[in-house]
Amino acid sequence: MSGLPHSPHALVTGGGRGIGRAIAESLASAGATVTIIGRNAAALEEAVNAGAAHFAAVADVANETALKAAIAEAHARKPIDILIANAGSAESAPFAKSDSALFARMMDINFMGVVHAIHGVLPGMKDRPYGRIVVIASTAGLKGYAYVSAYAAAKHAAVGLVRSLALELAGSNMTVNAVCPGFTDTDLVAGSIDNIMKKTGRSREQAVAELAKHNPQGRLIAPQEVADAVLWLCGQGSSAITGQAIAVAGGEI
């Protein structure tokens, strides 16, 4: 069997928009009960109303207390089998202008947010007959990019966590993997495009091309392409795949 087991409960952080919403909707379509967590209550509510998820909770992944409370509420509703640690944020600046506060923000959201989420689900998931943890990292977790040193450092940390935790849990029923998208057509990348336009005076088409040039296929990745990779990792046929950082990037990595 390669699909999901019967009606697992999947928790998706940052599930109200972009990649997270595409993942939530794919899991729901595959038969999972899906709970999404995020900071934007309106986006979460719209996703639930549209059928992309079944339940939602407002919490900032950088706030350990709030996130763990939201996870505990979801677990009480139905034990969690799948965690998709997707929530993230990106800021760009030359390293010389990247102060400690910027590094702290990137680590709090992109790395510690993953740590908090895993800590929240792991005790209950260990007792389940099946468990999947998928961290949405980035190609910035596998290589460097100029002007995003703090973001890249945080994503490298997330990938290191995945590889280490997978070894700790290798004797269990759980797998731990990362999916590393290249530049993806989301609100987050739209912000990067606006930043390029503002700083360089380039047109939107030129700004998109600046990002797309990293992809040998010459395009941005679609959120659904990332969701498809995640869905496969959550399936029963991927039980031998753990500790991996899979690039969805058109051959960039």
Side-chain angles (χ1 to χ4, degrees), residues 5-246:
H6 178 67
S7 190
H9 185 188
L11 182 78
V12 183
T13 67
R17 60 181 61 184
I19 290 172
R21 175 160 172 167
I23 292 170
E25 191 164 12
S26 291
L27 287 167
S29 295
T33 298
V34 179
T35 297
I36 53 177
I37 293 177
R39 295 183 293 185
N40 187 318
L44 296 172
E45 182 180 2
E46 195 280 326
V48 171
N49 290 340
H54 300 89
F55 304 99
V58 177
D60 185 339
V61 296
N63 184 327
E64 181 178 10
T65 300
L67 180 60
K68 286 187 175 179
I71 291 173
E73 181 180 340
H75 179 80
R77 187 184 305 118
K78 185 177 182 180
I80 296 168
D81 305 285
I82 297 169
L83 168 67
I84 311 299
N86 165 76
S89 178
E91 295 183 45
S92 62
F95 176 77
K97 295 183 179 179
S98 300
D99 59 14
S100 59
L102 189 156
F103 271 85
R105 287 194 300 275
M106 292 298 92
M107 290 299 290
D108 282 347
I109 296 172
N110 296 301
F111 177 61
M112 290 310 301
V114 175
V115 172
H116 299 329
I118 295 175
H119 273 154
V121 303
L122 196 58
M125 196 179 288
K126 281 183 174 180
D127 296 329
R128 305 291 291 161
Y130 151 100
R132 296 286 187 268
I133 295 173
V134 181
V135 175
I136 306 304
S138 167
T139 48
L142 302 173
K143 59 179 282 188
Y145 293 97
Y147 307 112
V148 289
S149 55
Y151 175 76
K155 290 298 188 179
H156 271 73
V159 170
L161 172 64
V162 163
R163 289 171 172 161
S164 296
L165 185 58
L167 294 178
E168 287 191 32
L169 299 175
S172 74
N173 55 353
M174 301 172 61
T175 66
V176 187
N177 291 288
V179 170
C180 300
F183 288 103
T184 305
D185 191 8
T186 64
D187 291 347
L188 186 65
V189 168
S192 297
I193 291 170
D194 289 341
N195 196 37
I196 291 171
M197 293 169 61
K198 180 180 178 180
K199 290 184 176 180
T200 67
R202 296 177 184 177
S203 68
R204 181 165 296 278
E205 291 74 18
Q206 290 171 325
V208 171
E210 178 66 22
L211 299 182
K213 74 178 185 181
H214 295 283
N215 182 332
Q217 293 178 338
R219 63 182 180 87
L220 299 179
I221 299 299
Q224 187 59 49
E225 293 177 298
V226 183
D228 289 343
V230 171
L231 188 61
W232 173 69
L233 285 172
C234 291
Q236 296 179 93
S238 65
S239 59
I241 311 301
T242 195
Q244 302 305 301
I246 299 173

